[in-house]
Amino acid sequence: MTGTTAADVLIAVALLLVAVTATAAVLTRDPVRQSVVLAMLGLEFALLFTLLQAPDVALSQLGVGSALTPLLILLTVRRVRRGPAGKERDPAEERRR
């Protein structure tokens, strides 16, 4: 049986970071904060894929998981908060209903 290499330790740390950040993404209730956590998770996955010697997957993860998905979530939240008429909704009025 061989000893643990530095690459194995880095992969274990990256896996731990992914697990912690994924848990944080699930527990985050605010969609804006959740999109930021998902962007961080995408960066961590890209790092993990790089450590696992899959640079093409890492580049795809950077584009989709770290940039595109959080951006789409933010744009969707903005659209939902504005409402169908394009006006900002008043949260105080929403609570009165």
Coordinates of all heavy atoms in Angstrom, one line a residue:
M1 N 0.8 -1.2 0.0 CA 0.0 0.0 0.0 C 0.9 1.2 0.0 O 1.8 1.3 0.8 CB -0.9 0.0 1.2 CG -2.0 1.0 1.2 SD -3.1 0.6 2.6 CE -4.4 1.5 2.1
T2 N 0.6 2.2 -0.9 CA 1.4 3.4 -1.0 C 1.0 4.4 0.0 O -0.2 4.4 0.5 CB 1.3 4.0 -2.4 OG1 0.0 4.3 -2.6 CG2 1.8 3.0 -3.4
G3 N 1.8 5.4 0.2 CA 1.5 6.5 1.2 C 0.6 7.6 0.5 O 0.4 7.6 -0.7
T4 N 0.2 8.5 1.3 CA -0.6 9.6 0.9 C 0.2 10.6 0.2 O 1.2 11.1 0.8 CB -1.4 10.2 2.0 OG1 -2.2 9.1 2.7 CG2 -2.4 11.2 1.6
T5 N -0.2 11.0 -1.0 CA 0.6 12.1 -1.7 C 0.0 13.4 -1.4 O -1.1 13.6 -0.9 CB 0.6 11.8 -3.2 OG1 -0.7 11.9 -3.7 CG2 1.2 10.4 -3.5
A6 N 0.7 14.5 -1.8 CA 0.2 15.8 -1.7 C -1.1 16.0 -2.5 O -2.0 16.7 -2.1 CB 1.2 16.8 -2.1
A7 N -1.2 15.4 -3.7 CA -2.3 15.5 -4.5 C -3.6 14.9 -3.9 O -4.7 15.5 -4.0 CB -2.1 14.8 -5.9
D8 N -3.4 13.8 -3.2 CA -4.5 13.2 -2.5 C -5.0 14.1 -1.4 O -6.2 14.2 -1.1 CB -4.1 11.8 -1.8 CG -3.8 10.8 -2.9 OD1 -4.3 10.9 -4.0 OD2 -3.0 9.8 -2.6
V9 N -4.1 14.8 -0.7 CA -4.5 15.7 0.4 C -5.3 16.9 -0.2 O -6.3 17.3 0.3 CB -3.3 16.2 1.2 CG1 -3.7 17.2 2.2 CG2 -2.6 15.0 1.9
L10 N -4.8 17.4 -1.3 CA -5.5 18.5 -2.0 C -6.9 18.1 -2.4 O -7.9 18.9 -2.3 CB -4.7 19.0 -3.1 CG -3.5 19.9 -2.8 CD1 -2.7 20.2 -4.0 CD2 -3.9 21.1 -2.1
I11 N -7.0 16.9 -3.0 CA -8.3 16.4 -3.4 C -9.3 16.3 -2.2 O -10.4 16.6 -2.3 CB -8.2 15.1 -4.2 CG1 -7.5 15.4 -5.6 CG2 -9.5 14.4 -4.4 CD1 -7.1 14.2 -6.3
A12 N -8.7 15.7 -1.1 CA -9.6 15.6 0.1 C -10.1 16.9 0.6 O -11.2 17.1 1.0 CB -8.8 14.8 1.1
V13 N -9.2 17.9 0.6 CA -9.6 19.3 1.0 C -10.6 19.9 0.1 O -11.6 20.5 0.5 CB -8.3 20.2 1.2 CG1 -8.7 21.6 1.4 CG2 -7.4 19.7 2.3
A14 N -10.4 19.7 -1.2 CA -11.4 20.2 -2.2 C -12.7 19.5 -2.0 O -13.8 20.2 -2.1 CB -10.8 20.0 -3.6
L15 N -12.7 18.2 -1.8 CA -14.0 17.5 -1.5 C -14.7 18.0 -0.3 O -15.9 18.2 -0.2 CB -13.8 16.0 -1.5 CG -13.5 15.3 -2.8 CD1 -13.1 13.9 -2.5 CD2 -14.8 15.3 -3.6
L16 N -13.9 18.3 0.8 CA -14.5 18.8 2.0 C -15.1 20.2 1.8 O -16.2 20.5 2.2 CB -13.4 18.9 3.1 CG -13.8 19.3 4.4 CD1 -14.9 18.4 5.0 CD2 -12.6 19.5 5.4
L17 N -14.4 21.1 1.0 CA -14.9 22.4 0.7 C -16.2 22.3 -0.1 O -17.1 23.1 0.1 CB -13.8 23.2 -0.1 CG -12.7 23.8 0.7 CD1 -11.7 24.4 -0.2 CD2 -13.3 24.9 1.6
V18 N -16.2 21.4 -1.1 CA -17.4 21.2 -1.9 C -18.6 20.8 -1.0 O -19.7 21.3 -1.1 CB -17.2 20.2 -3.0 CG1 -18.5 19.7 -3.6 CG2 -16.3 20.8 -4.1
A19 N -18.3 19.9 -0.1 CA -19.4 19.4 0.8 C -19.9 20.5 1.7 O -21.2 20.7 1.9 CB -18.9 18.2 1.6
V20 N -19.0 21.3 2.3 CA -19.4 22.4 3.2 C -20.2 23.5 2.4 O -21.3 23.9 2.8 CB -18.2 23.0 3.9 CG1 -18.6 24.3 4.6 CG2 -17.6 22.0 4.9
T21 N -19.7 23.8 1.2 CA -20.4 24.9 0.5 C -21.7 24.4 -0.1 O -22.7 25.2 -0.1 CB -19.5 25.3 -0.7 OG1 -18.2 25.7 -0.1 CG2 -20.0 26.5 -1.4
A22 N -21.8 23.1 -0.5 CA -23.1 22.6 -1.0 C -24.1 22.6 0.2 O -25.3 22.9 0.0 CB -22.9 21.2 -1.5
T23 N -23.7 22.3 1.4 CA -24.6 22.3 2.5 C -25.0 23.7 2.8 O -26.2 24.0 3.1 CB -23.9 21.7 3.8 OG1 -23.5 20.4 3.5 CG2 -24.8 21.7 4.9
A24 N -24.1 24.7 2.7 CA -24.5 26.1 2.9 C -25.5 26.6 1.8 O -26.4 27.3 2.1 CB -23.2 27.0 2.9
A25 N -25.3 26.1 0.6 CA -26.2 26.5 -0.5 C -27.6 26.0 -0.2 O -28.6 26.7 -0.4 CB -25.8 26.0 -1.8
V26 N -27.7 24.8 0.4 CA -29.0 24.2 0.7 C -29.7 25.0 1.8 O -30.9 25.2 1.9 CB -28.9 22.7 1.0 CG1 -30.2 22.1 1.6 CG2 -28.5 21.9 -0.2
L27 N -28.9 25.4 2.8 CA -29.4 26.0 4.0 C -29.7 27.5 3.8 O -30.3 28.1 4.7 CB -28.5 25.8 5.2 CG -28.3 24.3 5.6 CD1 -27.3 24.2 6.7 CD2 -29.6 23.7 6.0
T28 N -29.2 28.1 2.8 CA -29.4 29.5 2.6 C -30.8 29.8 2.0 O -31.2 29.1 1.1 CB -28.3 30.1 1.6 OG1 -27.0 29.8 2.1 CG2 -28.5 31.5 1.3
R29 N -31.5 30.7 2.6 CA -32.9 30.9 2.3 C -33.1 32.1 1.2 O -34.0 32.0 0.4 CB -33.7 31.3 3.5 CG -33.6 30.2 4.6 CD -34.6 29.1 4.5 NE -35.9 29.6 4.4 CZ -37.0 28.8 4.1 NH1 -36.8 27.6 3.8 NH2 -38.2 29.3 4.1
D30 N -32.2 33.0 1.3 CA -32.3 34.2 0.4 C -31.8 33.8 -1.0 O -30.6 33.4 -1.1 CB -31.6 35.4 1.0 CG -31.6 36.6 0.1 OD1 -32.7 36.8 -0.5 OD2 -30.6 37.4 0.0
P31 N -32.6 34.0 -2.0 CA -32.1 33.6 -3.4 C -30.9 34.3 -3.9 O -30.0 33.8 -4.6 CB -33.3 33.9 -4.3 CG -34.5 34.0 -3.4 CD -34.0 34.4 -2.1
V32 N -30.7 35.6 -3.5 CA -29.5 36.4 -3.9 C -28.3 35.8 -3.2 O -27.3 35.6 -3.9 CB -29.7 37.9 -3.6 CG1 -28.5 38.6 -3.9 CG2 -30.9 38.4 -4.3
R33 N -28.4 35.6 -1.9 CA -27.2 35.0 -1.3 C -26.9 33.6 -1.8 O -25.8 33.1 -1.9 CB -27.4 35.0 0.2 CG -27.4 36.3 0.9 CD -27.5 36.3 2.3 NE -27.4 37.6 2.9 CZ -27.9 38.0 4.0 NH1 -28.6 37.1 4.8 NH2 -27.8 39.2 4.4
Q34 N -28.0 32.8 -2.1 CA -27.8 31.5 -2.5 C -27.1 31.5 -3.9 O -26.3 30.6 -4.1 CB -29.2 30.8 -2.7 CG -29.1 29.3 -2.9 CD -30.5 28.7 -2.8 OE1 -31.5 29.2 -3.3 NE2 -30.6 27.5 -2.2
S35 N -27.4 32.4 -4.7 CA -26.7 32.5 -6.0 C -25.2 32.8 -5.8 O -24.4 32.2 -6.6 CB -27.3 33.5 -6.9 OG -27.1 34.8 -6.4
V36 N -24.8 33.6 -4.8 CA -23.4 33.8 -4.5 C -22.8 32.5 -4.0 O -21.6 32.2 -4.4 CB -23.3 34.9 -3.5 CG1 -21.8 35.1 -3.0 CG2 -23.8 36.2 -4.1
V37 N -23.5 31.8 -3.1 CA -22.9 30.5 -2.6 C -22.8 29.5 -3.8 O -21.8 28.8 -3.8 CB -23.8 30.0 -1.5 CG1 -23.3 28.6 -1.0 CG2 -23.8 30.9 -0.3
L38 N -23.7 29.5 -4.7 CA -23.6 28.6 -5.8 C -22.5 28.9 -6.7 O -21.8 28.1 -7.3 CB -24.9 28.6 -6.6 CG -26.1 27.8 -6.0 CD1 -27.4 28.0 -6.8 CD2 -25.8 26.4 -5.9
A39 N -22.2 30.2 -6.9 CA -21.0 30.7 -7.7 C -19.7 30.2 -7.0 O -18.8 29.7 -7.7 CB -21.0 32.2 -7.8
M40 N -19.7 30.3 -5.7 CA -18.5 29.8 -5.0 C -18.4 28.2 -5.1 O -17.3 27.7 -5.3 CB -18.6 30.1 -3.5 CG -18.4 31.6 -3.2 SD -18.6 32.1 -1.5 CE -18.4 30.7 -0.5
L41 N -19.5 27.6 -5.1 CA -19.5 26.1 -5.3 C -19.0 25.7 -6.7 O -18.3 24.8 -6.8 CB -20.9 25.6 -5.0 CG -21.1 24.1 -5.1 CD1 -20.3 23.3 -4.1 CD2 -22.6 23.7 -5.0
G42 N -19.4 26.5 -7.7 CA -18.9 26.3 -9.0 C -17.4 26.4 -9.1 O -16.8 25.6 -9.8
L43 N -16.9 27.4 -8.4 CA -15.4 27.6 -8.4 C -14.7 26.5 -7.8 O -13.7 26.0 -8.2 CB -15.1 28.9 -7.7 CG -15.4 30.2 -8.5 CD1 -15.2 31.4 -7.6 CD2 -14.6 30.3 -9.7
E44 N -15.3 26.0 -6.7 CA -14.7 24.9 -6.0 C -14.8 23.6 -6.8 O -13.8 22.8 -6.8 CB -15.4 24.7 -4.6 CG -15.1 25.8 -3.7 CD -15.9 25.8 -2.4 OE1 -16.7 24.8 -2.2 OE2 -15.8 26.7 -1.6
F45 N -15.9 23.4 -7.5 CA -15.9 22.2 -8.4 C -14.9 22.3 -9.5 O -14.3 21.4 -9.9 CB -17.3 22.1 -9.0 CG -18.2 21.2 -8.2 CD1 -19.4 21.7 -7.8 CD2 -17.9 19.9 -8.0 CE1 -20.3 20.8 -7.0 CE2 -18.7 19.0 -7.3 CZ -19.9 19.5 -6.8
A46 N -14.7 23.5 -10.1 CA -13.7 23.7 -11.1 C -12.3 23.4 -10.5 O -11.5 22.8 -11.2 CB -13.8 25.2 -11.6
L47 N -12.0 23.8 -9.3 CA -10.8 23.5 -8.7 C -10.6 22.0 -8.5 O -9.6 21.4 -8.8 CB -10.6 24.2 -7.3 CG -9.4 23.8 -6.5 CD1 -8.2 24.3 -7.1 CD2 -9.6 24.3 -5.1
L48 N -11.7 21.3 -8.1 CA -11.7 19.9 -7.9 C -11.4 19.2 -9.2 O -10.6 18.2 -9.3 CB -13.0 19.4 -7.3 CG -13.1 17.9 -7.0 CD1 -12.0 17.4 -6.1 CD2 -14.5 17.6 -6.6
F49 N -12.1 19.6 -10.3 CA -11.9 19.0 -11.6 C -10.5 19.2 -12.1 O -9.9 18.3 -12.8 CB -12.9 19.5 -12.6 CG -14.3 19.1 -12.3 CD1 -15.4 19.9 -12.5 CD2 -14.6 17.8 -11.9 CE1 -16.7 19.5 -12.2 CE2 -15.9 17.4 -11.6 CZ -17.0 18.3 -11.8
T50 N -9.9 20.4 -11.8 CA -8.5 20.6 -12.2 C -7.6 19.7 -11.5 O -6.7 19.1 -12.1 CB -8.1 22.1 -11.9 OG1 -9.1 22.9 -12.6 CG2 -6.7 22.4 -12.4
L51 N -7.8 19.5 -10.2 CA -7.0 18.6 -9.4 C -7.1 17.1 -9.9 O -6.2 16.3 -9.8 CB -7.4 18.6 -7.9 CG -7.0 19.9 -7.2 CD1 -7.6 20.0 -5.8 CD2 -5.5 20.1 -7.2
L52 N -8.3 16.8 -10.4 CA -8.5 15.5 -10.9 C -8.1 15.3 -12.4 O -8.4 14.3 -13.0 CB -10.0 15.1 -10.8 CG -10.5 14.9 -9.3 CD1 -12.0 14.7 -9.3 CD2 -9.8 13.8 -8.7
Q53 N -7.4 16.3 -12.9 CA -6.8 16.3 -14.2 C -7.9 16.2 -15.3 O -7.8 15.5 -16.3 CB -5.8 15.2 -14.4 CG -4.6 15.4 -13.4 CD -3.6 14.3 -13.6 OE1 -3.7 13.4 -14.3 NE2 -2.5 14.4 -12.8
A54 N -8.9 17.1 -15.1 CA -10.0 17.2 -16.1 C -10.2 18.6 -16.5 O -11.2 19.3 -16.1 CB -11.3 16.5 -15.6
P55 N -9.2 19.3 -17.2 CA -9.3 20.7 -17.4 C -10.5 21.1 -18.3 O -11.0 22.2 -18.1 CB -8.0 21.0 -18.0 CG -7.5 19.7 -18.6 CD -8.0 18.7 -17.7
D56 N -10.9 20.3 -19.2 CA -12.0 20.6 -20.1 C -13.3 20.7 -19.3 O -14.1 21.6 -19.4 CB -12.1 19.6 -21.2 CG -12.2 18.2 -20.7 OD1 -11.7 17.9 -19.6 OD2 -12.6 17.3 -21.5
V57 N -13.5 19.8 -18.3 CA -14.6 19.8 -17.5 C -14.6 21.0 -16.5 O -15.6 21.7 -16.3 CB -14.8 18.5 -16.7 CG1 -16.0 18.5 -15.8 CG2 -14.8 17.3 -17.6
A58 N -13.4 21.3 -16.1 CA -13.2 22.5 -15.2 C -13.5 23.8 -15.9 O -14.2 24.7 -15.3 CB -11.7 22.5 -14.7
L59 N -13.1 23.9 -17.2 CA -13.5 25.1 -17.9 C -15.0 25.2 -18.1 O -15.6 26.3 -18.0 CB -12.7 25.1 -19.2 CG -11.3 25.5 -19.2 CD1 -10.6 25.3 -20.5 CD2 -11.1 26.9 -18.7
S60 N -15.6 24.1 -18.4 CA -17.1 24.1 -18.6 C -17.8 24.5 -17.3 O -18.7 25.3 -17.3 CB -17.6 22.7 -19.1 OG -17.0 22.4 -20.3
Q61 N -17.3 24.0 -16.2 CA -17.8 24.3 -14.9 C -17.7 25.8 -14.6 O -18.5 26.4 -14.0 CB -17.2 23.4 -13.8 CG -17.7 23.7 -12.4 CD -19.1 23.4 -12.2 OE1 -19.6 22.4 -12.8 NE2 -19.8 24.1 -11.4
L62 N -16.5 26.4 -14.9 CA -16.3 27.8 -14.7 C -17.4 28.6 -15.5 O -17.9 29.6 -14.9 CB -14.9 28.2 -15.1 CG -13.8 28.0 -14.1 CD1 -12.5 28.4 -14.8 CD2 -14.0 28.8 -12.9
G63 N -17.6 28.2 -16.7 CA -18.6 29.0 -17.5 C -20.0 28.8 -17.1 O -20.7 29.8 -16.9
V64 N -20.4 27.6 -16.8 CA -21.8 27.3 -16.5 C -22.1 27.5 -15.0 O -23.0 28.2 -14.6 CB -22.2 25.9 -17.0 CG1 -23.6 25.6 -16.6 CG2 -22.1 25.9 -18.5
G65 N -21.3 26.8 -14.2 CA -21.6 26.7 -12.8 C -21.2 27.9 -12.0 O -21.9 28.2 -11.0
S66 N -20.2 28.6 -12.4 CA -19.7 29.8 -11.7 C -20.2 31.1 -12.2 O -20.3 32.1 -11.5 CB -18.2 29.8 -11.7 OG -17.7 28.7 -11.1
A67 N -20.7 31.1 -13.5 CA -21.1 32.4 -14.1 C -22.5 32.4 -14.5 O -23.3 33.2 -14.1 CB -20.1 32.8 -15.2
L68 N -22.9 31.5 -15.4 CA -24.2 31.5 -16.1 C -25.3 31.2 -15.1 O -26.3 31.9 -15.1 CB -24.2 30.5 -17.2 CG -25.3 30.6 -18.2 CD1 -25.4 32.0 -18.8 CD2 -25.2 29.6 -19.2
T69 N -25.2 30.1 -14.3 CA -26.3 29.7 -13.4 C -26.6 30.8 -12.4 O -27.7 31.2 -12.2 CB -26.0 28.4 -12.8 OG1 -25.8 27.4 -13.8 CG2 -27.1 27.9 -11.9
P70 N -25.6 31.3 -11.6 CA -25.9 32.4 -10.7 C -26.5 33.6 -11.3 O -27.4 34.3 -10.8 CB -24.5 32.7 -10.0 CG -23.7 31.4 -10.2 CD -24.2 30.9 -11.5
L71 N -26.0 34.0 -12.5 CA -26.5 35.1 -13.3 C -28.0 34.9 -13.6 O -28.8 35.8 -13.4 CB -25.7 35.4 -14.5 CG -26.2 36.5 -15.4 CD1 -26.1 37.8 -14.7 CD2 -25.5 36.5 -16.7
L72 N -28.3 33.7 -14.1 CA -29.7 33.4 -14.4 C -30.6 33.5 -13.1 O -31.8 34.0 -13.2 CB -29.9 32.1 -15.1 CG -29.4 32.0 -16.5 CD1 -29.4 30.6 -17.0 CD2 -30.2 33.0 -17.4
I73 N -30.1 33.0 -12.0 CA -30.9 33.1 -10.8 C -31.1 34.5 -10.4 O -32.2 34.9 -10.0 CB -30.2 32.3 -9.6 CG1 -30.2 30.8 -9.9 CG2 -30.8 32.6 -8.3 CD1 -29.3 30.0 -9.0
L74 N -30.0 35.4 -10.4 CA -30.2 36.8 -10.1 C -31.2 37.5 -11.0 O -32.0 38.3 -10.5 CB -28.8 37.5 -10.1 CG -27.9 37.1 -9.0 CD1 -26.5 37.7 -9.2 CD2 -28.4 37.5 -7.6
L75 N -31.1 37.2 -12.3 CA -32.0 37.9 -13.2 C -33.5 37.4 -13.0 O -34.4 38.2 -13.0 CB -31.6 37.6 -14.7 CG -30.4 38.2 -15.1 CD1 -30.0 37.7 -16.5 CD2 -30.5 39.7 -15.1
T76 N -33.7 36.2 -12.6 CA -35.0 35.6 -12.3 C -35.5 36.3 -11.0 O -36.7 36.7 -11.0 CB -35.0 34.1 -12.2 OG1 -34.4 33.6 -13.4 CG2 -36.3 33.6 -11.9
V77 N -34.7 36.4 -10.0 CA -35.2 37.0 -8.8 C -35.5 38.5 -9.0 O -36.5 38.9 -8.5 CB -34.0 36.9 -7.7 CG1 -34.3 37.8 -6.5 CG2 -33.9 35.5 -7.3
R78 N -34.8 39.1 -9.8 CA -35.1 40.5 -10.1 C -36.4 40.7 -10.9 O -37.2 41.5 -10.6 CB -33.9 41.1 -11.0 CG -34.1 42.5 -11.4 CD -33.0 43.0 -12.2 NE -33.2 44.3 -12.7 CZ -32.6 44.9 -13.7 NH1 -31.6 44.2 -14.3 NH2 -32.9 46.0 -14.2
R79 N -36.6 39.8 -11.8 CA -37.9 39.8 -12.5 C -39.1 39.5 -11.7 O -40.1 40.1 -11.8 CB -37.8 38.8 -13.7 CG -39.0 38.6 -14.5 CD -39.2 39.9 -15.3 NE -40.4 39.8 -16.1 CZ -40.5 39.9 -17.4 NH1 -39.4 40.2 -18.1 NH2 -41.6 39.8 -18.1
V80 N -38.9 38.5 -10.8 CA -40.0 38.1 -9.9 C -40.3 39.3 -8.9 O -41.5 39.6 -8.6 CB -39.7 36.8 -9.1 CG1 -40.7 36.6 -8.0 CG2 -39.7 35.7 -10.1
R81 N -39.3 39.9 -8.4 CA -39.5 41.0 -7.4 C -40.2 42.2 -8.1 O -40.9 43.0 -7.4 CB -38.2 41.4 -6.7 CG -37.8 40.3 -5.7 CD -36.6 40.7 -5.0 NE -36.3 39.7 -4.0 CZ -35.1 39.6 -3.4 NH1 -34.2 40.5 -3.6 NH2 -34.9 38.6 -2.5
R82 N -39.9 42.4 -9.4 CA -40.5 43.5 -10.0 C -42.0 43.3 -10.3 O -42.8 44.3 -10.4 CB -39.8 43.8 -11.4 CG -38.5 44.6 -11.2 CD -38.0 44.9 -12.6 NE -36.9 45.8 -12.4 CZ -36.2 46.3 -13.5 NH1 -36.6 46.0 -14.7 NH2 -35.2 47.0 -13.3
G83 N -42.4 42.1 -10.6 CA -43.8 41.8 -10.9 C -44.0 41.9 -12.4 O -43.1 42.3 -13.2
P84 N -45.2 41.6 -12.9 CA -45.5 41.6 -14.3 C -45.5 43.0 -15.0 O -45.2 43.1 -16.1 CB -46.8 40.9 -14.4 CG -47.4 41.1 -13.0 CD -46.3 41.2 -12.1
A85 N -45.8 44.0 -14.2 CA -45.9 45.3 -14.8 C -44.5 46.0 -14.9 O -44.4 47.1 -15.4 CB -46.9 46.2 -14.1
G86 N -43.5 45.4 -14.3 CA -42.2 46.0 -14.4 C -41.9 47.0 -13.2 O -40.9 47.6 -13.2
K87 N -42.9 47.1 -12.3 CA -42.7 48.0 -11.1 C -42.2 47.2 -10.0 O -42.5 46.0 -9.8 CB -44.1 48.6 -10.8 CG -44.7 49.5 -11.8 CD -46.0 50.0 -11.4 CE -46.6 50.8 -12.5 NZ -47.9 51.3 -12.1
E88 N -41.5 47.9 -9.1 CA -41.0 47.2 -7.9 C -42.2 47.0 -7.0 O -43.0 47.8 -6.8 CB -40.0 48.1 -7.2 CG -38.6 48.2 -7.8 CD -37.8 46.9 -7.7 OE1 -38.0 46.2 -6.7 OE2 -37.0 46.6 -8.6
R89 N -42.2 45.8 -6.4 CA -43.2 45.5 -5.4 C -42.8 46.0 -4.0 O -41.6 46.0 -3.7 CB -43.4 44.0 -5.3 CG -44.1 43.4 -6.5 CD -43.9 42.0 -6.5 NE -45.0 41.1 -6.7 CZ -44.8 39.8 -6.6 NH1 -43.6 39.3 -6.3 NH2 -45.7 38.9 -6.8
D90 N -43.8 46.4 -3.3 CA -43.5 46.8 -1.9 C -43.7 45.7 -1.0 O -44.8 45.2 -0.8 CB -44.5 48.0 -1.6 CG -44.2 48.6 -0.2 OD1 -43.1 48.3 0.3 OD2 -45.1 49.3 0.3
P91 N -42.7 45.2 -0.3 CA -42.8 44.1 0.6 C -43.8 44.3 1.7 O -44.4 43.4 2.2 CB -41.4 43.9 1.2 CG -40.5 44.6 0.2 CD -41.3 45.7 -0.4
A92 N -43.9 45.6 2.2 CA -44.8 45.9 3.3 C -46.3 45.7 2.8 O -47.1 45.2 3.5 CB -44.6 47.3 3.8
E93 N -46.5 46.0 1.6 CA -47.9 45.8 1.0 C -48.2 44.4 0.8 O -49.3 43.9 1.0 CB -48.1 46.6 -0.3 CG -49.5 46.6 -0.8 CD -49.7 47.5 -1.9 OE1 -49.1 48.6 -1.9 OE2 -50.6 47.2 -2.8
E94 N -47.2 43.6 0.5 CA -47.3 42.2 0.3 C -47.7 41.5 1.6 O -48.5 40.6 1.6 CB -46.1 41.5 -0.3 CG -45.7 41.9 -1.7 CD -46.7 41.3 -2.7 OE1 -47.2 40.2 -2.5 OE2 -47.0 42.0 -3.7
R95 N -47.2 42.0 2.7 CA -47.5 41.4 4.0 C -48.9 41.8 4.4 O -49.5 41.0 5.2 CB -46.5 41.9 5.1 CG -45.2 41.1 5.0 CD -44.3 41.5 6.1 NE -43.1 42.2 5.4 CZ -42.6 43.4 5.7 NH1 -43.1 44.0 6.8 NH2 -41.6 43.9 5.0
R96 N -49.4 42.9 4.0 CA -50.8 43.3 4.4 C -51.9 42.5 3.7 O -53.0 42.4 4.2 CB -51.0 44.8 4.0 CG -50.3 45.7 5.0 CD -50.6 47.1 4.7 NE -49.6 47.5 3.7 CZ -49.2 48.7 3.4 NH1 -49.8 49.7 4.0 NH2 -48.3 49.0 2.6
R97 N -51.5 41.9 2.6 CA -52.5 41.1 1.8 C -52.9 39.8 2.5 O -52.4 39.2 3.2 CB -52.1 40.8 0.4 CG -52.0 42.1 -0.4 CD -51.6 41.7 -1.8 NE -51.3 42.9 -2.6 CZ -51.0 42.9 -3.8 NH1 -50.9 41.8 -4.5 NH2 -50.8 44.0 -4.4

